[in-house]
Amino acid sequence: MKRISFTFDAQYSQEMMRRFLLAINQRLDELFTTSTKSSGESIASSTVRSTVDQTIHNFAIGRGTYFELFGVGADAGLTGIAGGVDGRLIILRNVGTNTIRLFHNSNSSIVGNRIKTSTEDTIVMSITNGLILVYDGVGQVWIPTGNLL
């Protein structure tokens, strides 16, 4: 099994970390429970992979938790992510050949899809690295809560 390490920003409480770990464990249980898979269905079929070769507004990720993004263009970036529901946790990993930028509170995406960073700066996801984001239903924003190393 592949090992993933992560760090949390200091502003997040132990309760937030506990909820995050619970969500990860629940999702892993779903992925590895063979009784929910139809015959011949691969566990890897749950992974969503998308090419990001330009700046995308209101990025439609669909259902799921873990998303691999192929950052292939110099302008690869996201100004917002659709599909936010209070408490939803997603993991984005850059598996491409270029970095991917996540823009802070960009007006290019509609309210409800925007990303709010703690530093109010653009976040750059390096190649093979990623981010953990949680959706804040009250603030209607995606909040990066940890980094994948």
Side-chain angles (χ1 to χ4, degrees):
M1 179 180 288
K2 191 170 187 176
R3 185 178 191 138
I4 298 175
S5 61
F6 56 90
T7 58
F8 282 93
D9 288 340
Q11 71 186 29
Y12 296 102
S13 68
Q14 285 188 345
E15 178 63 17
M16 175 64 106
M17 289 188 278
R18 188 192 67 73
R19 286 183 186 180
F20 164 73
L21 292 173
L22 178 62
I24 291 294
N25 287 331
Q26 288 172 341
R27 182 63 180 139
L28 289 174
D29 287 346
E30 289 173 22
L31 288 174
F32 293 104
T33 302
T34 56
S35 63
T36 61
K37 302 290 181 196
S38 62
S39 177
E41 184 180 356
S42 167
I43 289 172
S45 68
S46 296
T47 301
V48 177
R49 296 171 183 93
S50 300
T51 299
V52 180
D53 59 357
Q54 61 185 335
T55 300
I56 301 173
H57 314 295
N58 304 303
F59 183 59
I61 57 172
R63 295 173 54 182
T65 302
Y66 177 74
F67 302 89
E68 291 183 344
L69 306 177
F70 290 90
V72 295
D75 294 331
L78 305 175
T79 63
I81 303 167
V85 176
D86 192 32
R88 182 177 182 189
L89 178 94
I90 60 172
I91 300 169
L92 303 178
R93 180 178 288 281
N94 182 1
V95 295
T97 56
N98 283 56
T99 60
I100 298 174
R101 295 170 293 151
L102 275 68
F103 296 91
H104 169 75
N105 202 27
S106 173
N107 289 330
S108 297
S109 281
I110 64 170
V111 171
N113 290 349
R114 296 178 186 170
I115 301 161
K116 183 177 181 183
T117 66
S118 60
T119 62
E120 298 184 357
D121 292 324
T122 296
I123 293 176
V124 178
M125 272 195 320
S126 302
I127 300 162
T128 72
N129 288 341
L131 288 172
I132 302 156
L133 295 98
V134 67
Y135 190 78
D136 174 3
V138 174
Q140 296 185 313
V141 293
W142 288 99
I143 300 174
T145 58
N147 299 307
L148 298 178
L149 306 174

